[in-house]
Amino acid sequence: NMFCKNCGTEINDNAVICPHCGVQVANIGAAANNSNACKDTSNPIAIVGFVLSFFICLAGLICSIVGYRKAKNEGLDNQGLALAGIIISSIELASVVILIISFIAMCTCAIANMPSDPSYYPYY
């Protein structure tokens, strides 16, 4: 913490005006540069990954993983949104794989159970 040059009261380092006596204690431009308020912490990749997870699960999974890593490593927002995109995309991808395997198994079963006797097919 720093001290007001007018009244000597201890004040916050980011203060521009002393809350006790009202005197300007720091340059407004310098205080704005030192502040983290202007730092962009958005993470558009996490948002894109979350949205894509509902429509194109593989692209959503990839974008969500990239967005999650970026949020974790760089301290950006939307880490939870990216994690939700990863979970949703993974569930959808697993569902698609299960459906494809089930379809292949049904087709294989149907072909294996077809009669091989040509008289069974009277129109051919």
Side-chain angles (χ1 to χ4, degrees):
N1 285 344
M2 66 179 186
F3 295 91
C4 174
K5 60 186 174 190
N6 184 50
C7 67
T9 307
E10 187 175 1
I11 57 175
N12 189 324
D13 288 338
N14 295 329
V16 177
I17 297 173
C18 175
H20 301 286
C21 67
V23 172
Q24 182 176 345
V25 292
N27 185 350
I28 294 173
N33 288 338
N34 291 336
S35 173
N36 287 335
C38 294
K39 182 180 175 190
D40 184 19
T41 61
S42 65
N43 190 356
I45 285 233
I47 297 168
V48 168
F50 179 75
V51 172
L52 282 177
S53 69
F54 291 101
F55 304 106
I56 308 168
C57 56
L58 186 59
L61 181 63
I62 292 169
C63 288
S64 293
I65 290 171
V66 170
Y68 183 80
R69 285 186 176 172
K70 191 172 184 175
K72 192 172 181 181
N73 294 339
E74 298 176 18
L76 299 179
D77 293 337
N78 300 327
Q79 186 174 355
L81 197 62
L83 185 59
I86 292 170
I87 292 169
I88 293 168
S89 296
S90 298
I91 291 171
E92 287 183 10
L93 201 56
S95 299
V96 167
V97 169
I98 289 170
L99 284 173
I100 290 172
I101 291 171
S102 299
F103 180 75
I104 291 171
M106 285 189 327
C107 289
T108 305
C109 233
I111 291 171
N113 290 330
M114 290 178 71
S116 59
D117 183 16
S119 64
Y120 184 78
Y121 306 102
Y123 299 108
Y124 292 107

